[in-house]
Amino acid sequence: MDIKSLAEQYNDYIIDRRRYYHTCPELSGEEKNTRAHLKEDLEALGITDIHEMETCYGLTATIHGGKPGKTVALRADIDALPVKEETGLPFASHNEGKMHACGHDNHMAMLLGAAKLLQEHREELRGDVRLIFQPAEEHVIGSKAMIAEGALDGVDAIFGQHVCPSENDSVGRMQLYKGYFTSAVDLFHIAVHGKSGHGAAPHTARDAIACAGYLITVLQTVVSRRIDPMDSAVLTVGTMSGGDAVNITAGEARMVAVLRSFSDVGRDTAIQEVRRICKGIGIAFDCDIEVNLEEGYALQYNDPTMIDLVNKAVTAAGGKAEFIDKPFSGSEDFSFFGKLTGTPSAFMMVDAGRGENAVSLHNGKIVFDGVVESAKTALANGIPVALGNDVGCPYITQYDFWRELCYFHKYCGVSNRFALYTATLRNAQLAGIGDVTGSIAPGKSADFIVTRENPLEDLRALQHLELVVCRGRAVKKPSPKRKKEVDALLDPYLV
């Protein structure tokens, strides 16, 4: 099975699905319509073994291979964030105040692309593939709910991935790491109970704010003095409140601290120290300090054998895989699939580009130029899984892009060519691609002519254009006459 060629054949499908799901994001615990559409997509692929979770909006589907073997699970998260989208994309969110700002729309589309490939070639598979569409990742409850309902029953290994901003020249690279890869997250809800009193008579009160302030300072020693310097952890007091009036000694103060740790030993040590320090500071200030621990994400442990299989599969498919020298500081509730069930697991980051224009995940302006440049795979017991790409970055398919850029006409039919949704003379000049005449707007016709000695020299400059390029539907190809003229103009440079 030529994974790379097959993945490229399904590329248009993957892009179409990604853009669709980007338009209709739903928050954690609200993914009802998302699940319904995913089920429709899976049924359209001919997949029949589909199960909807009862306690959450999760969904599993199993592709049964034509040969005996083990069962591999592939997981994609499906929830969005309460973020206002500011990308200006033509397929931007239609749900005000909600956005797939963490790339979960990409993950859904990538898994659907894998499903399409595997379903059509299921007779070649040795074993089964369990597709897991998981809700509520951002609220740390989705994977636990699916595990409780048996989503991983009978699964021998599970794989997941996450897109991330990167340099443009690394688009498509899969980052590999063995061992603990993502951090554990725990929250400490701390309440300081003192005794309020008149501000002019502090000796009659027990100042909760003074106690809380000192506590914040001493908590900084947890990492610097109690965690092994060869280990790593971060403890941050993120919120603090207390007091009701300027002339009243506060009797109550509250704070929330977040702990990120990268080993079970470091996590256990930090939790123990926070409790011990709170107890001691409470005694020193004659206050009662209440500590409630809220366990968040678990550590994601990447099984070395599974990572080796991923590396072998990606390389064999012609993709880019690279071992990185340090773990990812973020957290993922994918971690519970392995931690709670003992199932070997591997989680990878995939470079999605944007270079100097990149913003962080969870930002309303984030745009993924290319989710995966070439086929990426996860492999277990001979089961290849192809992931797709979203070619919003013009230099990936430069030849077809330039042909479409130079001449473009009214679009009304259905095709999977590039469409230029909006371009202005000013933007083109700012990008430095030469003299340009005409403009392009949705539903309009235009001649867009680049007159530069060698337009390909500035192809990369198009990334800085305020120009939305998409590979969508509702595009009519240029006429044969126009196409011939375009070819004559560009062929000298397209060698």
Side-chain angles (χ1 to χ4, degrees):
M1 187 187 300
D2 186 347
I3 298 297
K4 186 173 183 179
S5 297
L6 290 171
E8 290 173 350
Q9 290 177 24
Y10 302 140
N11 197 48
D12 294 337
Y13 170 80
I14 297 169
I15 292 171
D16 175 78
R17 292 295 79 203
R18 181 258 164 153
R19 291 170 191 256
Y20 169 74
Y21 285 107
H22 189 85
T23 66
C24 50
E26 294 180 300
L27 302 182
S28 298
E30 302 175 2
E31 309 95 332
K32 181 178 181 179
N33 292 326
T34 300
R35 180 173 72 174
H37 291 305
L38 286 168
K39 184 179 181 182
E40 291 176 0
D41 282 339
L42 292 168
E43 290 174 338
L45 298 178
I47 299 174
T48 57
D49 190 354
I50 301 174
H51 296 278
E52 298 178 78
M53 302 293 103
E54 295 182 0
T55 60
C56 66
Y57 289 117
L59 179 75
T60 66
T62 302
I63 298 172
H64 299 281
K67 303 173 184 178
K70 296 184 178 181
T71 299
V72 170
L74 303 176
R75 172 268 202 177
D77 37 16
I78 69 175
D79 54 331
L81 289 161
V83 172
K84 180 180 179 180
E85 181 157 358
E86 302 177 77
T87 63
L89 294 171
F91 52 91
S93 171
H94 294 168
N95 298 334
E96 183 67 25
K98 303 175 184 180
M99 178 188 176
H100 274 297
C102 200
H104 296 185
D105 53 333
N106 295 305
H107 303 163
M108 286 185 278
M110 294 159 80
L111 188 50
L112 285 172
K116 182 175 177 64
L117 186 157
L118 295 168
Q119 175 66 7
E120 293 182 5
H121 298 270
R122 59 190 180 279
E123 295 304 319
E124 302 176 48
L125 300 181
R126 287 171 33 204
D128 299 338
V129 178
R130 180 83 47 80
L131 310 173
I132 297 178
F133 293 91
Q134 180 217 306
E137 188 277 330
E138 301 291 353
H139 281 188
V140 208
I141 59 176
S143 59
K144 292 179 181 179
M146 296 196 73
I147 291 168
E149 290 198 48
L152 245 60
D153 289 356
V155 169
D156 296 290
I158 181 170
F159 299 87
Q161 82 293 309
H162 202 298
V163 294
C164 64
S166 70
E167 296 300 321
N168 286 324
D169 59 5
S170 71
V171 169
R173 179 188 67 149
M174 183 170 281
Q175 301 179 31
L176 306 179
Y177 190 87
K178 295 181 179 180
Y180 290 116
F181 181 47
T182 66
S183 66
V185 174
D186 296 284
L187 298 180
F188 297 95
H189 297 270
I190 300 173
V192 179
H193 305 291
K195 178 182 178 183
S196 63
H198 198 291
H203 62 290
T204 65
R206 297 196 300 272
D207 194 337
I209 288 182
C211 179
Y214 199 83
L215 176 60
I216 291 173
T217 300
V218 179
L219 286 175
Q220 306 310 306
T221 65
V222 171
V223 174
S224 66
R225 290 296 177 266
R226 303 303 297 171
I227 300 297
D228 187 329
M230 301 307 292
D231 201 345
S232 181
V234 177
L235 179 63
T236 302
V237 177
T239 67
M240 193 276 181
S241 63
D244 298 309
V246 69
N247 60 345
I248 299 176
T249 300
E252 300 283 337
R254 297 181 180 276
M255 66 182 76
V256 179
V258 59
L259 170 69
R260 292 184 182 273
S261 52
F262 291 89
S263 73
D264 287 326
V265 172
R267 176 179 179 272
D268 292 343
T269 298
I271 291 174
Q272 179 181 341
E273 286 302 304
V274 169
R275 293 187 183 280
R276 186 181 66 82
I277 288 172
C278 286
K279 181 178 180 180
I281 296 299
I283 293 173
F285 281 80
D286 194 18
C287 292
D288 294 323
I289 300 181
E290 179 184 354
V291 181
N292 289 313
L293 175 65
E294 179 185 343
E295 296 188 9
Y297 299 95
L299 289 159
Q300 166 55 32
Y301 181 76
N302 278 348
D303 185 283
T305 301
M306 297 301 104
I307 289 293
D308 284 337
L309 286 172
V310 172
N311 184 40
K312 179 180 177 182
V314 172
T315 303
K320 295 184 293 185
E322 182 177 331
F323 283 92
I324 55 178
D325 57 7
K326 58 183 179 180
F328 178 62
S329 62
S331 306
E332 252 285 350
D333 85 337
F334 175 87
S335 56
F336 290 110
F337 286 116
K339 186 176 181 65
L340 297 183
T341 69
T343 304
S345 66
F347 191 80
M348 294 72 65
M349 303 301 289
V350 181
D351 289 358
R354 201 61 176 170
E356 63 183 26
N357 294 321
V359 297
S360 67
L361 295 171
H362 294 204
N363 187 302
K365 296 182 179 180
I366 193 166
V367 174
F368 296 99
D369 276 338
V371 173
V372 182
E373 183 180 28
S374 56
K376 294 293 172 285
T377 58
L379 181 67
N381 196 37
I383 299 179
V385 180
L387 307 179
N389 71 50
D390 182 21
V391 205
C393 193
Y395 64 83
I396 295 177
T397 54
Q398 53 186 335
Y399 299 162
D400 284 341
F401 173 77
W402 271 98
R403 294 184 191 279
E404 297 290 346
L405 174 64
C406 290
Y407 282 103
F408 194 74
H409 277 263
K410 290 181 180 178
Y411 56 95
C412 57
V414 176
S415 174
N416 283 319
R417 306 280 297 185
F418 273 103
L420 303 184
Y421 278 82
T422 178
T424 66
L425 174 63
R426 176 175 175 274
N427 285 336
Q429 289 173 333
L430 287 175
I433 60 174
D435 298 326
V436 182
T437 62
S439 62
I440 302 173
K444 305 297 182 181
S445 62
D447 289 336
F448 195 93
I449 304 172
V450 177
T451 55
R452 187 181 177 89
E453 184 176 351
N454 187 348
L456 293 180
E457 290 177 356
D458 284 275
L459 193 58
R460 295 292 289 271
L462 285 166
Q463 295 171 68
H464 308 297
L465 217 66
E466 292 180 18
L467 166 67
V468 177
V469 183
C470 85
R471 199 172 188 177
R473 295 184 294 184
V475 180
K476 187 175 182 179
K477 295 181 180 180
S479 67
K481 179 181 178 181
R482 290 292 193 186
K483 191 69 176 175
K484 189 173 182 179
E485 292 174 338
V486 173
D487 290 344
L489 173 66
L490 289 180
D491 278 342
Y493 309 112
L494 306 182
V495 294

